[in-house]
Amino acid sequence: MHLLRRIERHLRRHEIPATRFGREAVRDPRLVHDLRNGREPGARLTARVTRYMDAVDAGVGA
């Protein structure tokens, strides 16, 4: 799945602003804005963001 699509779904599911997500996930409050404007994430960034979302999702069900 495309990273931005997964992030957008995560934002809606957890009702958090894009800037907060970026800050908590990778210490970059402009992350989502930049992705929406065409930024292509590298493998390391994608892995960090994916790990963050997986951890948050795992904590929600606990």
Side-chain angles (χ1 to χ4, degrees):
M1 176 187 315
H2 191 263
L3 181 63
L4 180 56
R5 198 171 316 148
R6 183 167 179 208
I7 291 171
E8 295 287 4
R9 187 171 23 217
H10 185 87
L11 294 176
R12 286 191 302 275
R13 184 181 318 126
H14 297 283
E15 299 179 347
I16 62 171
T19 54
R20 178 177 163 198
F21 173 85
R23 191 176 302 113
E24 291 179 0
V26 293
R27 296 175 26 182
D28 179 0
R30 293 187 47 86
L31 172 69
V32 178
H33 173 78
D34 290 347
L35 291 172
R36 288 173 178 163
N37 284 317
R39 175 178 171 186
E40 291 294 328
R44 286 179 49 196
L45 179 64
T46 299
R48 286 177 65 195
V49 171
T50 300
R51 276 194 309 270
Y52 171 79
M53 290 187 290
D54 290 345
V56 170
D57 289 343
V60 170

